Amino acid sequence: MYLLCIFGNLIIIVVVWAAPRLHTPMYFFLCNLSTLDMAYVSSIIPKLLDSQITGNNRISFTSCCTQLFMSVVCLTTEFLLLSSMAFDRYVAICVPLKYPIIMNKNACIILSITPWTFGTFNSLLYIFLISNLSFCNSKDISHFYCETKAVLRASCSDIKHVNIVIVSEGFAIGFIAFGMILTSYVFIISSILKIKTSSRRLKIFSSCSSHLTVVLLFCGSSLSVYMNPDSEDSTELDIMLSLLYVAVVPALNPLVYSLRNKDTKDTVTRLQEIQVADGTYLASLDIEALYTNIRHNLGIQAVQSYLNTKGTQFHNHNEFILTLLRFLLTHNYFLFKDQFYLQSNGTAMGSKCAPNYANLFLGWWEDTIVFTDGHELFTKHILFWGRFIDDVLILWDGTESLFHEFVKSLNDNDIGMAFTSEIHSSTLTFLDLRISLLPGGRVSTEVYRKPTSTNTFLQWDSYHPTPLKKGIPIGQYIRARRNCSDDSEFQKECSTLYERFLQRGYPKKTLHRAYKRALNTKRTDLLKPQMRSQSTVIRCVGTFDSRHREVSNILQKHWHVLKVDTDLKEILSDRPQITYRRGRNLKDHLVHSFYNPDPIKLTWLSTSVVGCYPCGRCSFCPLVQKSKFFTNPLNQRRYEIRQFINCQTKGIIYIAICPCQKLYVGKTVQEFRKRICQHISSINTKKDTPISRHVRFHHSGNPNCLKFWGICKKSLGPRRGNLDRVLYQEEARWIYRLESLNPKELNEGFTFTSFL
C-alpha cells in the first residue's frame, strides 16, 4: 500500500507537470495534495514496516517527536488544503465566468501556502506542549506510530490542560475547515440542482465528486479520532481509524482523482499519441493579392483539370461551366473616376465564385508545382501542410535557412504569384489562432486577437432582433471552446469575452447561459465536419426594420390562411420562419464605393432651386403647381420638395389632387407632362382608371380640375439598373406615407412585389 501511495501520487504530479492543459488551479491543488500524502505516509509507514519485518519496535524520543511533528503538519495542512480545493470548486461552478479572475496565480499560491504555514506552526505548538511533559518509567506507546493521544497516554504528567488545548485547537481547525467545505458544497449542490438537464447536472457534479469522496473519508476518520473522549475502550478504534486516514486515504487519492475525472484519462491518452520531434518549426505562407493575380488561362486550366476528374459523361456540362466562367472573368468591368475599366487579370474579390475559383487554382498549384520532384528537397521536410484559401500553415522539420530557400524557389515562378512567409520555433499566429509548440512536441492552440482590435460587439440596446443578439455570445464562446486546446486558455478567453460583452451592455444571465452551453459542448464534437442541413422549410426573407415585430405578428396571425391552400399546405411549416437581411446602417448612408475626387462645382449658371415648377413652354403648365412644398389633405401635414422638378423632368413621383381633396400618388419614367397628358386622355376617353373614374363621377369629367405636383425625382447610379423598379419602390413608400389607398384616397392595387 505504501508503494501504491507513492507511485500513484508521483504519477499524478508527473502527468500534471507534463500536460499544459492541466495547468489549472484544480490540478495545482491536487499536486499539493499528492505531495502532502507522500510526505504523510513517508513519515509513518517506513518505520511501521521496519518494526513489522525486524521486530524492532523501539523509537527514540527525538525520532518520536519528529514523527509527531510531521504527522500533525500533514494532518492540519490536509484539512485546510481540502478547504481551499472546495473553494476552488465553488468558484468554478457557482461563478464560472469570474473563475480566471478570482482563481488567478497569486490566489492559488496564497491558498496553497497558507495551509502549509498554518500546519507548521500548529505542529510546533504540539511539540512544545509534549516536550515539557514527563514520561517517568512508562515507555510504551499503544499505537503503531507516535500519535498525539497515544503519546499523551504514556506521560505521567497532568495532561488535563494539554488535552483541553488539543481538543479546542482540533475543533477550531477540524470543524471550521469542515464547515467551510460543507458551506461550499451547499452552494455547489444548489447551483447544480438549478440545471435543467440531468446529463449536464451529472457532468458538472462529476468534476467535484472526487474531492467530496476524499473529504468524507479523511475528515470523517480523523475527526472521529480526535473528537472521541479518551478511554481504554477507544484505543483499538482509534488505531483502526488512524490507519484509515494515515495509509488508506493517501493510497486511494490517486485512484479516486483519476478514475472519477475524465480529464486525467484524456490526458494520459494524449501522452501516448505521436508527437512532433524537437527542432520542428511553425511556419506560414501568405499569397500576396491572390484574387487579382490569377491569370485567366491558368485559372480556367486549373478548374478544367478538376472538372475532368468527374468523367467524360459530364463533358457538355463541364464545357458549359467553363464557358460561363470564361465569360465572367473576361467581362468584369469596374468604375473609377467616372471611367469604366476592364479587369484583364484575376477575378473580382466580391464575386460569389471568387473563393471557389481561387481554391481550385491553388489546389492545382499545389499538385503541379509544390509537391513535385522539383521541390522534393524541400517538401520532404513538411510534416503538415494546411491551407485556408491563400493562407498556408506548415510544420517544418528542416532548418530555418532551408525554409527560406523553399520560399525563394516558390517565388521564382512564371505564373505571377508572390509569397511572404514567417517561421518560428515556438509560437505563430495564423488567422484567428495563436499556435504553440510545447515541450514534448505537442501543438496547442488558443484564440488570437490583434493588439489593435477594438470592442466591436453589437450593442445590446440596438434595435436588432433579440435572438440575434443572444446568438452573438453563444457564437463567441463556442469559438473559444473550439480554438482553445487547453482548458486554462479557454477559461482565460471566456473571462476576456465576459468583460467585453459587459462593456457593450449584455445581461449577465445571457452571458452565463452562453458560457455554460460552450462549456458543456465537447471540443471534439466542435472539430468534427458539420454537415449542412437539407431543410425544405420555406422562409420569409426580408430586410430588417424596427417594425419587425409587427410584421412577425401579422404573419403569425394570418399564417393559417396560406395553409388552407392544398398545394401550399404540403410545403409550408406550421409556423412562419422569418429571416432578416441586414438593414441599411450609417455606414451604408455615409460611405460609397465609388471614388469621386472632383465634386461638381456650381457656377453662376448653376441653380440650387428646389421645388415643383411649370416649364412655361407647354399646354399642361396650368395644371402643374408652382411650390416648394405640398400638403397632405388627409392630415394637413406639410412635406418639402427637395429637388428641382418641372414639366419636362423624367423619372419622378407625383401627386394629383382634385377639388374634393382626394389624392393620388403615381410614378413615371417619361416626362412629367406626358404622364399628365395620359391622365387627361383617360378622362376624355372614359378609360377605367382611378383618376378617370373619380373625375367623371364627381367632377363632371372636367380634367382641368386636377392639380399636379412633382414631389420626388429618382435616378440611377453609375452602375445603372432598373429605373422603373426603383420608381415602383419609391411610389409604394409614398402611398404608405400619405395613406393614399382607396377608400380614403384614390390609389388602388397596391402591392409589395417591387421589393421582392
Side-chain angles (χ1 to χ4, degrees):
M1 187 170 287
Y2 175 67
L3 293 177
L4 175 65
C5 175
I6 295 297
F7 285 113
N9 284 288
L10 272 176
I11 288 173
I12 286 182
I13 294 172
V14 171
V15 168
V16 173
W17 174 81
R21 76 187 291 264
L22 298 183
H23 292 178
T24 61
M26 183 176 76
Y27 288 100
F28 172 73
F29 291 127
L30 181 57
C31 287
N32 273 270
L33 184 62
S34 295
T35 304
L36 185 66
D37 287 341
M38 288 190 295
Y40 200 3
V41 297
S42 296
S43 66
I44 298 172
I45 301 300
K47 178 59 182 173
L48 175 62
L49 294 175
D50 176 65
S51 63
Q52 293 295 320
I53 295 171
T54 64
N56 180 16
N57 296 331
R58 295 185 178 186
I59 186 171
S60 66
F61 183 74
T62 304
S63 299
C64 186
C65 288
T66 303
Q67 194 177 66
L68 178 64
F69 172 80
M70 288 300 300
S71 64
V72 174
V73 167
C74 295
L75 186 67
T76 307
T77 303
E78 186 150 351
F79 262 112
L80 299 176
L81 189 60
L82 289 173
S83 301
S84 298
M85 296 176 75
F87 178 73
D88 170 71
R89 292 298 84 206
Y90 160 74
V91 176
I93 294 173
C94 298
V95 282
L97 290 178
K98 293 184 178 180
Y99 183 75
I101 299 174
I102 298 174
M103 299 303 295
N104 54 43
K105 185 177 180 180
N106 291 334
C108 291
I109 292 173
I110 292 172
L111 288 174
S112 62
I113 289 178
T114 301
W116 286 96
T117 305
F118 199 90
T120 302
F121 282 106
N122 182 56
S123 185
L124 290 174
L125 173 64
Y126 274 54
I127 296 300
F128 173 76
L129 293 173
I130 291 174
S131 62
N132 290 324
L133 297 177
S134 299
F135 288 91
C136 304
N137 296 323
S138 177
K139 297 181 180 180
D140 293 331
I141 297 175
S142 55
H143 216 290
F144 63 86
Y145 79 103
C146 291
E147 190 264 343
T148 306
K149 293 176 69 175
V151 172
L152 290 177
R153 289 193 200 102
S155 174
C156 58
S157 301
D158 184 8
I159 60 172
K160 182 178 179 181
H161 298 293
V162 176
N163 269 328
I164 293 174
V165 172
I166 290 176
V167 171
S168 302
E169 188 265 352
F171 177 83
I173 295 176
F175 277 101
I176 291 177
F178 191 62
M180 292 172 61
I181 295 171
L182 288 179
T183 303
S184 298
Y185 273 98
V186 167
F187 287 105
I188 289 171
I189 294 172
S190 176
S191 297
I192 292 175
L193 292 177
K194 293 178 182 177
I195 299 172
K196 296 180 180 179
T197 60
S198 58
S199 59
R200 290 176 62 187
R201 284 199 299 267
L202 182 62
K203 182 175 181 179
I204 294 176
F205 185 75
S206 65
S207 67
C208 57
S209 58
S210 53
H211 174 261
L212 186 59
T213 303
V214 171
V215 167
L216 294 176
L217 286 173
F218 179 80
C219 294
S221 58
S222 57
L223 288 177
S224 298
V225 170
Y226 285 95
M227 293 300 105
N228 273 344
D230 194 14
S231 67
E232 294 182 2
D233 296 334
S234 65
T235 303
E236 291 185 4
L237 179 62
D238 288 350
I239 293 174
M240 294 301 296
L241 291 174
S242 297
L243 186 63
L244 179 63
Y245 70 78
V246 169
V248 178
V249 173
L252 290 178
N253 278 354
L255 299 177
V256 172
Y257 276 99
S258 61
L259 294 177
R260 299 185 64 88
N261 197 310
K262 293 182 179 179
D263 286 347
T264 304
K265 290 194 289 186
D266 291 344
T267 302
V268 172
T269 302
R270 286 171 181 247
L271 290 175
Q272 294 175 350
E273 295 176 357
I274 299 174
Q275 308 292 325
V276 296
D278 292 338
T280 302
Y281 287 93
L282 289 166
S284 66
L285 291 176
D286 182 33
I287 297 97
E288 294 182 342
L290 170 63
Y291 285 20
T292 56
N293 280 331
I294 303 174
R295 295 177 184 174
H296 293 336
N297 61 328
L298 294 176
I300 293 172
Q301 179 184 342
V303 175
Q304 185 175 16
S305 67
Y306 284 103
L307 290 176
N308 289 341
T309 60
K310 298 171 64 178
T312 56
Q313 66 271 28
F314 296 101
H315 174 74
N316 293 336
H317 176 265
N318 295 345
E319 286 298 321
F320 176 67
I321 292 178
L322 291 172
T323 301
L324 290 179
L325 179 61
R326 193 175 291 107
F327 179 85
L328 287 173
L329 294 175
T330 57
H331 291 77
N332 181 41
Y333 293 90
F334 62 92
L335 185 68
F336 182 74
K337 295 182 68 173
D338 296 327
Q339 296 291 324
F340 283 96
Y341 295 86
L342 173 65
Q343 185 171 349
S344 59
N345 208 38
T347 180
M349 294 183 65
S351 64
K352 291 185 177 180
C353 71
N356 290 335
Y357 176 66
N359 263 325
L360 290 173
F361 173 73
L362 286 180
W364 171 83
W365 166 74
E366 290 170 348
D367 293 338
T368 59
I369 297 178
V370 180
F371 294 98
T372 57
D373 294 340
H375 287 97
E376 187 178 1
L377 173 65
F378 307 109
T379 55
K380 67 181 181 181
H381 295 288
I382 297 176
L383 303 178
F384 173 83
W385 175 284
R387 178 175 56 81
F388 180 77
I389 306 182
D390 58 345
D391 293 299
V392 181
L393 175 65
I394 301 171
L395 284 177
W396 178 267
D397 69 353
T399 62
E400 191 172 350
S401 59
L402 188 62
F403 176 77
H404 291 305
E405 290 183 27
F406 175 49
V407 177
K408 184 178 179 181
S409 69
L410 292 178
N411 278 313
D412 185 14
N413 62 76
D414 57 357
I415 60 175
M417 295 180 66
F419 302 87
T420 58
S421 65
E422 285 186 56
I423 182 168
H424 300 280
S425 59
S426 57
T427 303
L428 179 76
T429 57
F430 181 76
L431 302 177
D432 63 340
L433 293 175
R434 177 182 281 109
I435 305 171
S436 303
L437 287 178
L438 302 177
R442 197 174 70 84
V443 179
S444 73
T445 59
E446 60 188 80
V447 175
Y448 170 72
R449 290 182 72 240
K450 293 181 179 179
T452 56
S453 297
T454 56
N455 194 356
T456 56
F457 288 143
L458 189 68
Q459 281 284 150
W460 179 259
D461 57 2
S462 71
Y463 284 95
H464 290 75
T466 302
L468 183 147
K469 293 185 287 188
K470 287 184 176 180
I472 294 175
I474 293 174
Q476 290 297 317
Y477 282 116
I478 290 290
R479 169 175 169 261
R481 183 66 166 163
R482 182 184 65 247
N483 288 359
C484 295
S485 57
D486 295 336
D487 286 345
S488 59
E489 292 298 332
F490 168 66
Q491 295 290 348
K492 189 184 300 182
E493 178 63 20
C494 287
S495 178
T496 303
L497 287 173
Y498 183 73
E499 296 299 328
R500 290 173 61 201
F501 277 119
L502 286 181
Q503 291 173 6
R504 307 297 280 181
Y506 282 73
K508 293 182 179 180
K509 187 176 182 180
T510 299
L511 300 181
H512 281 283
R513 285 178 177 174
Y515 168 77
K516 289 181 179 178
R517 177 170 173 178
L519 185 65
N520 294 322
T521 303
K522 292 182 179 179
R523 185 170 181 261
T524 53
D525 293 339
L526 296 175
L527 295 174
K528 292 178 182 177
Q530 299 295 319
M531 300 298 294
R532 290 189 178 182
S533 60
Q534 302 296 323
S535 176
T536 58
V537 175
I538 295 179
R539 292 183 172 272
C540 303
V541 182
T543 304
F544 179 75
D545 187 83
S546 59
R547 291 162 293 188
H548 70 281
R549 292 189 182 277
E550 298 175 31
V551 175
S552 177
N553 291 336
I554 292 171
L555 283 172
Q556 297 277 5
K557 182 178 179 180
H558 301 290
W559 192 251
H560 67 279
V561 177
L562 296 176
K563 296 283 287 183
V564 173
D565 187 281
T566 54
D567 295 327
L568 291 176
K569 183 179 180 180
E570 300 298 325
I571 59 176
L572 291 179
S573 57
D574 294 333
R575 300 176 61 188
Q577 302 290 325
I578 306 173
T579 303
Y580 294 106
R581 303 186 197 94
R582 182 179 66 82
R584 288 177 62 82
N585 54 25
L586 285 175
K587 177 184 175 182
D588 297 324
H589 287 286
L590 300 176
V591 180
H592 303 282
S593 60
F594 297 109
Y595 175 64
N596 186 16
D598 302 318
I600 299 174
K601 296 180 180 180
L602 297 177
T603 65
W604 66 276
L605 290 173
S606 304
T607 177
S608 59
V609 176
V610 295
C612 179
Y613 300 92
C615 67
R617 295 188 295 274
C618 71
S619 58
F620 302 103
C621 286
L623 301 179
V624 178
Q625 305 304 301
K626 180 181 179 181
S627 179
K628 293 185 177 181
F629 62 88
F630 70 94
T631 303
N632 184 359
L634 190 65
N635 54 20
Q636 300 303 310
R637 183 176 178 179
R638 198 164 93 165
Y639 296 87
E640 292 184 3
I641 303 172
R642 300 181 179 181
Q643 295 153 306
F644 177 78
I645 300 172
N646 66 13
C647 303
Q648 301 179 33
T649 306
K650 298 179 181 180
I652 66 165
I653 306 297
Y654 64 90
I655 62 169
I657 300 179
C658 69
C660 61
Q661 300 301 297
K662 291 289 185 178
L663 179 143
Y664 176 85
V665 177
K667 62 91 182 172
T668 179
V669 295
Q670 54 190 347
E671 289 184 352
F672 189 17
R673 59 186 177 182
K674 291 184 179 180
R675 184 56 179 154
I676 296 174
C677 179
Q678 290 171 357
H679 281 300
I680 294 174
S681 176
S682 67
I683 296 171
N684 292 333
T685 58
K686 300 181 181 181
K687 285 186 178 180
D688 189 21
T689 63
I691 286 184
S692 173
R693 196 184 313 121
H694 178 79
V695 172
R696 284 187 289 108
F697 289 166
H698 297 281
H699 303 291
S700 304
N702 179 18
N704 294 324
C705 70
L706 295 174
K707 297 179 180 179
F708 291 87
W709 283 263
I711 62 173
C712 178
K713 180 170 63 175
K714 304 299 291 184
S715 59
L716 297 175
R719 289 179 176 170
R720 315 309 297 163
N722 188 340
L723 180 60
D724 197 42
R725 179 184 175 88
V726 173
L727 289 170
Y728 265 122
Q729 293 175 350
E730 190 64 23
E731 179 190 36
R733 293 188 184 98
W734 278 106
I735 290 173
Y736 179 81
R737 193 175 298 153
L738 300 177
E739 302 179 50
S740 64
L741 284 175
N742 190 47
K744 290 183 180 180
E745 304 295 345
L746 299 180
N747 282 100
E748 299 174 357
F750 172 77
T751 68
F752 288 101
T753 54
S754 59
F755 294 94
L756 300 178

